[in-house]
Amino acid sequence: MDPFLSESLHIKRVPVTRLPESQACPRMEDLISREPRDLGRAVCIITGASKGYGRALAFQLSCRLKPRSVLVLVARTKAQLNELKDDIVSVCGRSQLDVRCVQADLEEAGGVEKTVQAVKETSSTETDHVLLINNAASLGDVSRFAVSFTDPAEVNRYLSLNVSGALSLTAGVLQAFPHRLGLRRTVVNISSLCALKPFPSWVLYCTGKAARDMMFRVLAEEEPDVRVLSYAPGPLDTDMQLQARRFSGDLNLRRSFSSMFSEHQLLTCEESGSKLVKLLLDNDFPSGAHLDFYEL
Ligand SMILES: NC(=O)c1ccc[n+]([C@@H]2O[C@H](COP(=O)([O-])OP(=O)(O)OC[C@H]3O[C@@H](n4cnc5c(N)ncnc54)[C@H](OP(=O)(O)O)[C@@H]3O)[C@@H](O)[C@H]2O)c1
């Protein structure tokens, strides 16, 4: 792998031992920790929960919510959401956790409205924590370079999910749960190294992630009682990574992603998710901060 790229992608240049298959994908039961800390009686909303990182986070967070919390799972693919709901309920129990699925396209205003409406329906005076995980995102067309994006409609479509959707959903959720004594409000932006570093042929993705980070920094300035975190989860073994190594227009980048995969340097979603869960439990990050898996 190109040493510069491996460094800029924050990849540790030591061989990572691959876990045996049985450990690489922990069983649901194994994801339940016996550690007593929790995230309160929460309404927890996770976008992009149907697969990849969002799905893993849904499991990890569900174990940290107090009984009678509500978990709202959002994505376009209903079947995968329902399957996830059944899996979580079979571990946590229906009486412990109210899991709701919202099939919504967050690229569309209607999808954001539908999600906000579903969140409003969870409202209860007993809720002591609202936790929104803005995880849904797309890679965009990474096969082309910046000078090929002459069509503003194409760029706007990309920003619509990755920037506008995240802002308007966050605003809607915070309005649905306004400041009240005893209510903790936390907003997480799933970010990326790409928010800070430019990568050739990734103009849409880098732009979207950089814009989101700034958006959430502004939110942190404006709303001191809201805990805001941009978390860069590291390179994850998901469908998005598959797209990255197959389609990146920049040859060096494509090779780097391929060798990260073949050299087993990708993280599991659970590994990365554990650090995020710990950050949320510790709750001592500076609001608005961008924190990276490799720096924690
Ligand atoms: N994978 C990595 O190496 C990596 C590295 C750094 C940061 N990240 C970030 O981590 C997050 C999760 O990535 P991932 O790798 O898990 O991606 P992924 O496997 O592609 O999953 C993306 C999720 O977003 C949902 N989604 C996509 N478009 C949507 C839309 N229009 N409306 C609603 N939901 C939509 C997808 O569900 P449906 O298709 O069912 O809608 C899916 O659940 C993203 O924010 C990504 O930028 C990933």
Side-chain angles (χ1 to χ4, degrees), residues 47 74 105-113 115-116 132-137 156-173 187 189 208 212 215-216:
T47 68
V74 189
D105 184 347
L106 297 172
E107 187 180 305
E108 307 286 338
V112 174
E113 277 164 31
T115 307
V116 171
L132 169 61
I133 312 279
N134 283 294
N135 167 75
N156 289 340
R157 246 190 333 274
Y158 181 81
L159 297 177
S160 178
L161 167 65
N162 295 285
V163 180
S164 323
L167 176 57
S168 42
L169 177 63
T170 302
V173 169
V187 178
N189 164 37
R212 275 167 74 129
M215 212 161 76
F216 287 103

Side-chain angles (χ1 to χ4, degrees), residues 193-247:
L193 176 62
C194 296
L196 310 177
K197 264 183 176 300
F199 289 102
S201 76
W202 281 39
V203 66
L204 293 181
Y205 190 78
C206 291
T207 303
K209 288 297 188 193
R212 275 167 74 129
D213 267 34
M214 182 51 82
M215 212 161 76
F216 287 103
R217 283 173 64 188
V218 171
L219 179 70
E221 289 286 322
E222 290 179 352
E223 306 290 336
D225 80 294
V226 178
R227 307 280 296 132
V228 183
L229 172 66
S230 287
Y231 175 70
L236 307 169
D237 194 3
T238 64
D239 287 353
M240 192 179 275
Q241 266 290 328
L242 179 68
Q243 274 180 271
R245 66 178 172 270
R246 279 206 182 145
F247 302 121

